[in-house]
């Protein structure tokens, strides 16, 4: 009798385990299929965008009037942005593809800069027309290679998940049609770069200064880096310490410091060798409940900045995610917000500890600026706003525009219906440089469900 019961229990357990394993297998397959579908969609969209981009550049060569040429160049800029987005959705993070992305950025920057120019007063020069001809030929080379890869993908039912696995396992040098195709695209673009893409008006408008050229101070030692890390993390007696230097490929020097205390809590920092400035700080620990308000947490963040000699920073954005407060600070000079000089911080809401600190943007951009006088008045700038916008706040600000240039603007915060917007009007020309829709407060869906019941 007991034997029969045991056999029955074991049989049920085996069947249950098999069913659980089947369910797990099905769920895993569903996730893989979804990822594969997304990769396939992004790749075919990229190929399609390159087809359109090539054709659109070709049409600009036949145009002469500003009325036709400006919208066509604006379309070129839009298509390069969409192609950029498609590239970003492919599993190519471990495969060098930066030259192609830079090539797309350069096309976008050139076309946008030319599209917004008054082409009646300043028509295309011979050099710019020659650049358009080169871009037409070069985009054709990329288009043809992507079409070749697309043909092989469809013909042989190739999977992007295999690409992801190959890259993750370091097997990118193995025979893989998709990887080989993208490497060919990258080589082609590198060849274009080395030929005649140059010229004063054709530059990379991505605002990335990875050399941190504005840093001041002497180079620090590993020991000094550890002391800085202990000060920022408030872990002065930490004995478990690991310090590594950046690799040879990095364009600036930094130390990576890992601290671990007796409670098992870890903190990691990257600190510049020049001057000893933390680029980022992450403290890993369990945050137990909420004991302080978001306002108290922002005060903790401000005190932290002042204590570490960050001056003239103003809180401009705050939000709460579970038991963490997230804050963004920007530099202010004579009442002008300098948005490129930004620092982001995370504060634990159980005890006010700084658990996250990111100063990369600040360190790359911060320097003494000569802020120009506005070319138009505040009232003139208001005239460029939607008349239905109800302005709540206004100030001067420096932002990075679409071309990667710093521009002085009038910043307006206002409401339109139930939504809040931040709008930047160029203080010299009145151009609407940027419009941001701010996030509304998230509704509590549980309450909504209860009300609906």
């Amino acid at each position: 009798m007991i034997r029969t019961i045991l056999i029955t229990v074991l049989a049920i357990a085996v069947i249950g385990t098999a069913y659980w394993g089947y369910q797990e297998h099905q769920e895993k397959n569903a996730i893989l299929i979804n990822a594969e579908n997304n990769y396939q969609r992004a790749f075919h969209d990229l190929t399609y965008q390159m087809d359109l981009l090539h054709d659109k550049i070709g049409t600009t060569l036949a145009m002469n009037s500003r009325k036709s040429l400006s919208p066509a160049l604006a379309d070129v800029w839009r298509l390069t942005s969409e192609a950029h987005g498609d590239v970003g959705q492919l599993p190519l993070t471990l495969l060098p593809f930066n030259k192609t992305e830079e090539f797309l950025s350069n096309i976008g920057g050139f076309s946008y800069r030319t599209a917004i120019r008054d082409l009646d007063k300043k028509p295309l020069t011979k050099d710019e027309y020659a650049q358009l001809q080169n871009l037409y030929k070069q985009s054709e080379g990329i288009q043809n290679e992507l079409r070749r890869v697309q043909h092989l993908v469809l013909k042989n039912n190739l999977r992007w998940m295999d690409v992801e696995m190959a890259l993750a396992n370091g097997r990118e040098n193995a025979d893989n049609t998709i990887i080989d195709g993208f490497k060919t695209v990258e080589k082609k673009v590198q060849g274009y770069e080395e030929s005649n893409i140059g010229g004063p008006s054709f530059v990379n408008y991505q605002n990335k200064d990875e050399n941190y050229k504005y840093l001041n101070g002497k180079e620090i030692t590993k020991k000094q880096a550890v002391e800085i890390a202990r000060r920022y993390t408030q872990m002065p007696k930490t004995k478990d310490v690991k310090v590594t230097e950046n690799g040879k490929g990095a364009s600036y020097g930094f130390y990576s410091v890992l601290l671990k205390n007796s409670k098992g809590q870890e903190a990691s920092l990257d600190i510049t060798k020049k001057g000893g400035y933390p680029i980022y700080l992450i403290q890993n620990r369990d945050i137990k409940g909420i004991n302080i308000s978001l306002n108290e947490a922002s005060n903790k963040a401000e005190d932290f900045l002042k204590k570490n000699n960050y001056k003239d920073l103003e809180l401009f954005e705050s939000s709460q995610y579970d038991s963490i407060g997230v804050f963004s600070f920007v530099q202010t000079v004579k009442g002008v917000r300098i948005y490129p000089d930004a620092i982001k911080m995370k504060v634990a809401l159980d005890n006010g500890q700084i658990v996250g600190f990111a100063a990369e943007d600040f360190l790359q951009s911060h320097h003494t600026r000569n802020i120009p006088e506005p070319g138009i008045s505040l009232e003139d700038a208001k005239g460029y706003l939607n008349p239905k916008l109800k302005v709540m706040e206004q100030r001067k600000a420096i932002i990075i525009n679409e071309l990667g240039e710093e521009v002085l603007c009038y910043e307006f915060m206002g409401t339109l219906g139930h939504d809040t917007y931040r709008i930047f009007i160029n203080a010299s020309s009145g151009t609407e440089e940027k419009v941001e829709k701010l996030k509304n407060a998230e509704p509590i869906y549980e309450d909504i469900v209860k009300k609906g019941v």
Side-chain angles (χ1 to χ4, degrees):
M1 183 68 179
I2 295 174
R3 183 181 177 187
T4 303
I5 292 173
L6 287 173
I7 291 173
T8 303
V9 170
L10 287 172
I12 292 171
V14 169
I15 293 170
T17 303
Y19 180 74
W20 175 81
Y22 174 76
Q23 287 290 97
E24 286 285 301
H25 179 71
Q26 290 293 94
E27 290 176 7
K28 183 179 178 182
N29 278 346
I31 293 171
L32 292 175
I33 290 169
N34 183 59
E36 178 65 28
N37 289 341
N38 286 333
Y39 289 152
Q40 291 285 358
R41 177 192 53 74
F43 171 63
H44 293 301
D45 282 352
L46 173 63
T47 307
Y48 176 65
Q49 298 297 348
M50 286 306 302
D51 285 346
L52 293 179
L53 181 62
H54 176 250
D55 291 344
K56 185 59 69 174
I57 294 174
T59 61
T60 63
L61 295 174
M63 294 177 179
N64 189 40
S65 71
R66 179 182 186 275
K67 186 177 180 181
S68 301
L69 190 54
S70 289
L73 288 169
D75 269 346
V76 171
W77 172 69
R78 177 183 57 81
L79 290 169
T80 57
S81 297
E82 291 178 2
H84 244 303
D86 292 326
V87 171
Q89 295 177 54
L90 295 174
L92 300 173
T93 53
L94 300 176
L95 179 68
F97 207 58
N98 56 305
K99 294 295 181 185
T100 304
E101 292 185 279
E102 188 176 313
F103 179 75
L104 289 172
S105 292
N106 284 339
I107 295 176
F110 173 78
S111 57
Y112 181 83
R113 192 183 187 92
T114 310
I116 64 174
R117 193 171 82 201
D118 189 341
L119 293 173
D120 289 333
K121 295 179 179 178
K122 294 178 67 177
L124 286 180
T125 65
K126 289 183 179 179
D127 287 341
E128 287 172 330
Y129 189 81
Q131 285 172 10
L132 274 175
Q133 289 178 312
N134 283 332
L135 291 175
Y136 183 62
K137 293 176 183 177
Q138 291 157 5
S139 62
E140 182 180 17
I142 296 174
Q143 174 195 39
N144 289 338
E145 186 56 35
L146 287 175
R147 278 186 174 182
R148 187 186 71 82
V149 176
Q150 185 183 46
H151 169 72
L152 293 173
V153 166
L154 296 172
K155 179 182 177 182
N156 301 320
N157 293 318
L158 301 178
R159 299 193 320 156
W160 275 93
M161 292 304 297
D162 295 333
V163 174
E164 187 173 46
M165 292 297 294
L167 293 173
N169 296 326
R171 293 186 287 106
E172 62 268 23
N173 293 323
D175 184 23
N176 186 298
T177 302
I178 296 176
I179 293 177
D180 292 343
F182 274 81
K183 282 184 176 179
T184 302
V185 172
E186 186 75 351
K187 286 179 181 177
K188 280 181 178 290
V189 175
Q190 191 168 5
Y192 302 153
E193 187 183 58
E194 291 167 356
S195 57
N196 55 356
I197 258 187
S201 60
F202 198 82
V203 295
N204 187 0
Y205 295 112
Q206 291 171 297
N207 189 51
K208 290 192 176 181
D209 179 16
E210 295 181 353
N211 294 313
Y212 291 80
K213 66 181 181 181
Y214 298 119
L215 293 183
N216 295 315
K218 298 179 180 179
E219 286 212 358
I220 62 169
T221 63
K222 284 186 178 181
K223 184 178 179 181
Q224 289 173 316
V226 172
E227 292 305 313
I228 292 169
R230 284 175 172 159
R231 187 177 82 242
Y232 269 78
T233 57
Q234 297 178 346
M235 297 167 66
K237 298 180 180 179
T238 309
K239 293 182 179 180
D240 192 350
V241 179
K242 183 179 179 182
V243 185
T244 56
E245 294 188 52
N246 63 292
K248 293 181 180 179
S251 56
Y252 62 96
F254 64 91
Y255 294 108
S256 291
V257 183
L258 179 64
L259 305 177
K260 187 183 292 185
N261 65 15
S262 57
K263 297 179 181 179
Q265 296 174 354
E266 287 186 354
S268 57
L269 301 91
D270 272 4
I271 301 173
T272 63
K273 287 182 179 178
K274 186 175 182 180
Y277 301 100
I279 303 169
Y280 78 82
L281 153 69
I282 299 174
Q283 300 215 52
N284 295 314
R285 69 169 182 85
D286 292 330
I287 299 172
K288 300 175 181 178
I290 299 175
N291 299 319
I292 64 173
S293 68
L294 197 62
N295 183 59
E296 290 173 310
S298 70
N299 292 334
K300 295 277 187 183
E302 288 183 9
D303 290 342
F304 178 88
L305 291 170
K306 290 175 183 176
K307 182 179 177 181
N308 290 288
N309 297 317
Y310 291 94
K311 300 177 181 178
D312 301 321
L313 288 169
E314 176 183 323
L315 176 67
F316 84 96
E317 223 170 41
S318 64
S319 54
Q320 182 176 338
Y321 297 93
D322 294 327
S323 52
I324 293 177
V326 181
F327 306 97
S328 295
F329 293 85
V330 292
Q331 188 87 30
T332 57
V333 178
K334 297 180 180 178
V336 180
R337 280 187 178 176
I338 315 293
Y339 279 102
D341 294 5
I343 291 178
K344 294 183 179 180
M345 300 178 66
K346 291 183 179 180
V347 179
L349 297 180
D350 55 356
N351 63 2
Q353 182 185 22
I354 308 301
V355 292
F357 177 83
E360 183 178 34
D361 292 340
F362 183 88
L363 295 176
Q364 289 179 353
S365 302
H366 179 60
H367 64 284
T368 302
R369 294 172 172 84
N370 292 319
I371 300 175
E373 289 296 321
I376 61 175
S377 69
L378 177 65
E379 290 304 314
D380 288 339
K382 279 186 177 180
Y384 293 98
L385 296 173
N386 185 324
K388 295 181 181 179
L389 184 80
K390 184 179 179 181
V391 176
M392 311 298 289
E393 295 179 24
Q394 56 197 30
R395 63 178 62 84
K396 294 176 188 174
I398 287 178
I399 66 168
I400 302 292
N401 66 8
E402 295 284 0
L403 303 181
E405 303 167 333
E406 288 193 1
V407 290
L408 178 66
C409 295
Y410 287 107
E411 175 188 352
F412 298 96
M413 184 90 77
T415 57
L416 190 60
H418 297 293
D419 297 315
T420 304
Y421 296 86
R422 182 183 286 127
I423 301 173
F424 296 92
I425 302 295
N426 190 301
S428 295
S429 63
T431 303
E432 193 176 65
E433 292 285 354
K434 190 177 292 187
V435 178
E436 297 175 355
K437 180 181 176 295
L438 304 186
K439 290 183 179 179
N440 295 326
E442 289 289 338
I444 301 174
Y445 293 98
E446 185 178 353
D447 293 345
I448 293 175
V449 172
K450 287 179 181 178
K451 290 177 182 177
V453 173

